[in-house]
Amino acid sequence: FEPQSDVITIDQAADAPGSFNNFVNTLTSSLGGQFTYSPSDQYPYDFGYTSFFLQRDVMGQDIALANDGSWYQSWYTCSRALGPSYAVCQLPWTYYYGWIKNCNTVIQMAGAEPTDDKKAGVGQAYALRAMFYLDIVRMYAPETYAKNPESPTVPKVTEDASIDPSHNPRMTNKDAFDFILSDLDKAEEYIASYKRENVYTPDLSVVYGLKARAYLTMEDWANAEKYAKMAQQGYSL
């Protein structure tokens, strides 16, 4: 007998019929269309993963805003509204670490030695976790990997429950990219024979594309070219 409440345990989730595949599906189905940061529709940049494309475009001044009253003005100027005394600076953390938690749950459910029926799902979780960390590492590191491998990035949160979140320092660039590439190596192993049903699910070509992107950021040009060409195989313009 296991006491029941309004909180589900990882064991209860794992024992429910079809639960693993449902959790895997959530990895991508939760990426857009929800107001995750705010319970209301107050903020037009609060709509998921693709909103960050716009945020980063205006931060890099690739998009010029029409007037000072734009909802993206804080991102455009990287102004005080993104400082520690303003709640909006928490928006990337709210989104990304929520998605990372979903990946960690799938990885934890699959266990250290995933069975054949779970390998594709856990491979997707490793691929997406690497993608999420690649994004926020590049957003928060004050210096690039090539310029300073010891520059601080973001804290690492994995499926390891022994990590104390209140004493979890930021990874260095080197630690972060070692971790990202390690996740992508695992994804490459588990996802090798997986045939995806739609373009919203990561397969081997996506893993290679993410490796190319990571090596490009590290300025390891040879590996960036190698994996970019591998990612292109099977596609045409």
Side-chain angles (χ1 to χ4, degrees):
F1 176 79
E2 186 171 5
Q4 297 183 22
S5 69
D6 58 352
V7 178
I8 188 170
T9 67
I10 189 70
D11 291 331
Q12 287 173 326
D15 290 341
S19 61
F20 181 78
N21 289 334
N22 289 337
F23 275 92
V24 171
N25 292 336
T26 301
L27 298 179
T28 50
S29 65
S30 64
L31 293 182
Q34 303 174 40
F35 297 109
T36 298
Y37 173 69
S38 172
S40 70
D41 58 358
Q42 178 180 355
Y43 304 107
Y45 44 71
D46 181 14
F47 62 86
Y49 189 73
T50 49
S51 174
F52 287 98
F53 301 161
L54 296 176
Q55 292 167 38
R56 289 190 287 260
D57 279 350
V58 296
M59 291 175 83
Q61 301 197 28
D62 294 311
I63 296 177
L65 301 185
N67 59 65
D68 290 341
S70 167
W71 278 100
Y72 282 82
Q73 186 65 21
S74 296
W75 309 98
Y76 181 67
T77 60
C78 297
S79 64
R80 63 181 185 145
L82 294 181
S85 60
Y86 287 81
V88 72
C89 68
Q90 186 183 328
L91 184 140
W93 296 88
T94 302
Y95 269 101
Y96 275 94
Y97 278 99
W99 293 326
I100 288 167
K101 181 180 183 297
N102 291 342
C103 295
N104 290 340
T105 299
V106 169
I107 292 168
Q108 186 179 6
M109 289 176 71
E113 296 293 335
T115 55
D116 288 342
D117 62 323
K118 290 183 171 64
K119 285 183 177 179
V122 77
Q124 293 174 50
Y126 278 118
L128 287 164
R129 187 170 75 175
M131 182 181 79
F132 296 140
Y133 273 108
L134 185 58
D135 277 359
I136 54 174
V137 162
R138 291 183 299 178
M139 288 178 72
Y140 285 96
E143 296 178 288
T144 65
Y145 179 97
K147 186 174 183 180
N148 182 8
E150 300 304 315
S151 183
T153 62
V154 296
K156 178 170 70 172
V157 180
T158 70
E159 72 281 7
D160 184 357
S162 67
I163 296 175
D164 182 356
S166 63
H167 296 87
N168 188 14
R170 296 164 70 179
M171 295 182 285
T172 65
N173 262 324
K174 185 180 185 310
D175 291 338
F177 278 89
D178 285 348
F179 173 55
I180 289 166
L181 290 172
S182 172
D183 267 7
L184 291 174
D185 284 342
K186 293 173 185 174
E188 184 177 0
E189 174 187 353
Y190 290 132
I191 219 168
S193 58
Y194 170 68
K195 304 297 182 184
R196 62 181 180 176
E197 296 179 358
N198 56 63
V199 296
Y200 304 106
T201 306
D203 65 359
L204 197 56
S205 69
V206 175
V207 174
Y208 291 149
L210 290 169
K211 280 194 172 186
R213 190 174 295 180
Y215 282 120
L216 189 68
T217 306
M218 297 167 69
E219 299 188 21
D220 182 342
W221 313 122
N223 273 317
E225 179 183 13
K226 169 188 170 183
Y227 282 103
K229 288 180 176 177
M230 291 171 68
Q232 293 169 17
Q233 291 179 12
Y235 295 94
S236 65
L237 292 178

